[in-house]
Amino acid sequence: MRRLVGAALALGLAGCAGDNFRPEDAVAVRPVGGEALPAPTLAETQLRSGEFQLGVSDKIAVRVFGAPDFNVDTAVDPTGAVTVPLIGDVPATGKTTRELAADIAGQLGARYVRNPNVTVTLIEATSRRVTLDGAVRNPGRYALAGPTTLTEALALGQGTADNARTSEVIVFRTIDGQRFAARFSLRDIRGGRAADPAVFGNDVIVVADDRSRLLLQDIAQAAPIVGMFYLFR
């Protein structure tokens, strides 16, 4: 069996933003069976029920109407908290901006400001990134600002390149330490013949070109059902 794109590709691309996909970097993996993709965990995707949840390193702006002394632009620190003037550390990971604003308002109202009006705005989603590689105009890692589909993710890299094989797009995903891969057809998605699947933080999306076609064909053969994730190891 030819070498398959799998675990090392997903890990290597995640650490080498902007590096082009090289078939010679692929490693041997073996499909162990097709199954529906398990639900992503919070720690691995930080996306839940269509709402963006804050993670470590995400940058936010806290604004308190009529009380500018509490305003701050900050980032979620490694402990999962943000620091607000006079209040101190407020837990932030796993919360939406609305939930965090409510927590901050509760602490302000109890100690400093009557009926505070607090807003929290996401400045940069550093903790949720998707990797685009292969026949993409601008390969690299891109932040997801909210629920994102496959075609929307590819648009972050300015779309597919002229030599792209749009019927052969592979999405790699890690769930609970296990690595999965699924094949999608942009032709079918764009033509309304297939749904545009959701993608999540830490996904690796590889668009086939002539150079990588043979390797990706192996995955296509091992994962014959389009849109179904298969477990690789």
Side-chain angles (χ1 to χ4, degrees), residues 4-15 20-23 25-27 29 131 133 170 172 179 204-206 216 219:
L4 300 179
V5 182
L9 174 60
L11 292 174
L13 290 179
N20 288 332
F21 165 60
R22 299 180 300 174
D25 289 341
V27 297
V29 294
T131 299
D133 219 306
I170 307 297
F172 296 94
R179 296 175 180 89
V204 177
I205 301 169
V206 181
L216 296 182
I219 290 182

Side-chain angles (χ1 to χ4, degrees), residues 111-189:
R111 299 161 60 184
Y112 299 108
V113 181
R114 179 177 296 179
N115 298 322
N117 183 353
V118 180
T119 60
V120 174
T121 305
L122 181 68
I123 298 175
E124 183 178 354
T126 305
S127 67
R128 248 81 67 226
R129 293 181 181 273
V130 65
T131 299
L132 306 181
D133 219 306
V136 180
R137 294 190 185 280
N138 290 308
R141 298 190 71 203
Y142 294 89
L144 303 180
T148 305
T149 66
L150 176 59
T151 58
E152 290 170 342
L154 289 170
L156 296 174
Q158 304 304 309
T160 55
D162 292 338
N163 64 335
R165 303 188 66 85
T166 56
S167 62
E168 300 172 19
V169 179
I170 307 297
V171 176
F172 296 94
R173 182 172 300 164
T174 300
I175 301 294
D176 291 330
Q178 295 182 311
R179 296 175 180 89
F180 295 78
R183 175 172 58 100
F184 296 95
S185 171
L186 290 180
R187 292 179 185 176
D188 289 346
I189 293 171

Side-chain angles (χ1 to χ4, degrees), residues 55-58 74-83 89 92-93:
V56 173
S57 298
D58 283 341
T74 186
V76 181
D77 67 26
T79 70
V82 294
T83 302
D89 293 343
T93 52

